[in-house]
Amino acid sequence: MTHTLSDQLTPELAERATSLLRAFGADIPEPGELVVRTPITGGTLLTLRPDTVETADAAITRADTAFRTWRTVPAPVRAAVVRRLAELLTAHRAELGELVTLEAGKIGAEAVGEVQEMIDICEFAIGLSRQLYGYTMPSERPGHRLMETWHPLGVVGVISAFNFPVAVWAWNTALALVCGDTVVWKPSDITPLTALACHTLLRRAALDVGADPEVHQLIQGDAEIGARLVDDERVALLSATGSVRMGRTVAPRVAARFGRCLLELGGNNAAIVTPSADLELAARAIVFAAAGTAGQRCTTLRRLIVHTDVVGPLLDRVANAYRQLRVGNPLTDGVLVGPLIHAGAHENMRTALERALGDGGRMVCGGERVPFGDDSYYVRPAIVRMPAQTAVVREETFAPILYVLTYRDLDHAITLHNAVPQGLSSSIFTTDQREAERFLAADGSDCGIANVNIGTSGAEIGGAFGGEKHTGGGRESGSDSWKSYMRRATNTVNYSTELPLAQGITFT
């Protein structure tokens, strides 16, 4: 498509974005200096007024005030808001998915899948509202009961990234609300319209069930606005998703005020393919994990560590599949790879490929820009065969580049796998149980997510999501991630008429 046709498409997309906002019941933003672009064409969808420091602080105040009452509402009653949100998301699944495509560039199937993930976490949170369990422990003192209880924590600040503009917010918000917290959300300034849609649906859900809509606040803007959540002592927990660089800035500032951080930062995910692997299954998993979302997932597969005996046939399969991937407008049926988010992402990809080739890498396929328009950035996913795990391979480039390394011994493969700063997601492809168990053992993968015979991306909400090392150590979504959003109290109840002291101490 020529630049002229791209220009013709932008007004249609802008009109559609406005129509979708109306469908959610959202107010159309007043024009302002925050420009919302679509990566589909690079053109402008809308402009809106960002928050100021004063309006952001006012939003935190409203959330803090609402918390004083919300924390006293029984958890199963709080879940009514989340249940109604799930119903509204189900009713608007297609429309919200389309808005995700317009703002983030995801293909339709992935965008709707992200909305389904929101519905799934709402269902999880609804059940969780009756399972915020504490332990009862045996006391060493007769006539005493020792137990723990969990209480709402406070205001939860959520800073989310463009690549999952709605799901990560839902992970945090659904759990925080049933745990008795209130939420202030600062979305990426690249995807403010999806945030406005979600905020509208949540406030409607609260009103529909007779709850206080002030339990959720939305603030829009740049890093200065996000900094209000970082530095305000009323924000008890800051859940931040983004780059390692962002995490290095945020974590010490929150720690300095003794707040809590839940960090989901970079990933440089790898898969090991052993000689026993089912190569057809592995190839399918690799293609989606490496090329899905145009490589713009924190769980994207970026390193492929393959045994020398099978690297040839495996690469033939993967490269052949890559060459058949249809790259283009994500609103078009049959397209599997949409655009990079902006020019900066394309420049980062181009620079990384130059460095890889300069390090002795060999381009197997892909890497070139696909013509669409001057202001949009479509690329063919790249595969690069590397002689060693060089500096560029150890870095995360948020683009569809798959580096291929080889190994002969599984211990060496695991060493290569772990020899990066990040520790989010990982996989091994094998039909040998010993190899699988070795990978999952304490001295195997050092990542927060370790899979066998599936790719590195596409986590289910039932498991805790997060990683180690430079990935930040946070856990969101399933399992016992809810504990991040609550405070623990240890309680001792003396129901006797005596006053024995612990450890047998006498004080008379």
Side-chain angles (χ1 to χ4, degrees), residues 3 22 35 64 70 75 97 145 277 321 345 374 399 457 461 467 471-472 476 490:
H3 183 50
R22 290 196 177 100
V35 179
D64 184 54
W70 186 243
R145 180 158 60 92
D374 292 347
S457 61
I461 60 95
T471 301
E476 295 173 321
T490 299

Side-chain angles (χ1 to χ4, degrees), residues 185-225:
W185 180 22
K186 193 278 178 192
S188 167
D189 56 7
I190 296 174
T191 54
L193 303 186
T194 47
L196 180 57
C198 292
H199 177 62
T200 300
L201 291 180
L202 180 51
R203 290 180 71 88
R204 177 178 162 191
L207 291 169
D208 285 352
V209 300
D212 183 1
E214 299 301 313
V215 297
H216 188 268
Q217 303 291 324
L218 174 66
I219 57 176
Q220 304 265 27
D222 58 14
E224 181 183 5
I225 296 303

Side-chain angles (χ1 to χ4, degrees), residues 394-452:
R394 290 192 294 271
E395 299 169 4
E396 180 189 39
T397 301
F398 221 58
I401 303 174
L402 180 62
Y403 299 112
V404 181
L405 304 160
T406 57
Y407 78 95
R408 285 196 173 275
D409 174 77
L410 184 58
D411 284 344
H412 178 227
I414 292 174
T415 298
L416 276 175
H417 175 281
N418 293 345
V420 296
Q422 310 85 358
L424 179 52
S425 187
S426 60
S427 295
I428 189 169
F429 292 90
T430 179
T431 56
D432 185 321
Q433 184 177 357
R434 287 181 175 176
E435 291 176 333
E437 295 294 340
R438 171 73 178 85
F439 184 72
L440 300 179
D443 58 348
S445 167
D446 63 0
C447 293
I449 300 169
N451 298 327
V452 177

Side-chain angles (χ1 to χ4, degrees), residues 24 66 70 73 77-89 122 169 173 177-178 181-183 197-217:
F24 300 123
W70 186 243
V73 176
V77 179
R78 296 193 294 251
V81 175
V82 180
R83 181 179 294 107
R84 180 57 181 148
L85 176 61
E87 293 170 352
L88 293 173
L89 289 171
C122 286
W169 165 76
T173 301
L177 289 178
V178 300
D181 304 323
T182 55
V183 176
C198 292
H199 177 62
T200 300
L201 291 180
L202 180 51
R203 290 180 71 88
R204 177 178 162 191
L207 291 169
D208 285 352
V209 300
D212 183 1
E214 299 301 313
V215 297
H216 188 268
Q217 303 291 324

Side-chain angles (χ1 to χ4, degrees), residues 10 171 231 247 405:
T10 297
W171 288 359
D231 296 329
L405 304 160

Side-chain angles (χ1 to χ4, degrees), residues 143-181:
H144 286 60
R145 180 158 60 92
L146 183 62
M147 63 182 182
E148 67 177 25
T149 52
W150 291 84
H151 301 291
L153 183 62
V155 177
V156 173
V158 178
I159 297 177
S160 58
F162 79 87
N163 60 322
F164 277 86
V166 292
V168 171
W169 165 76
W171 288 359
N172 285 276
T173 301
L175 296 191
L177 289 178
V178 300
C179 288
D181 304 323

Side-chain angles (χ1 to χ4, degrees), residues 461-472:
I461 60 95
F465 180 91
E468 302 301 322
K469 302 190 295 187
H470 288 195
T471 301

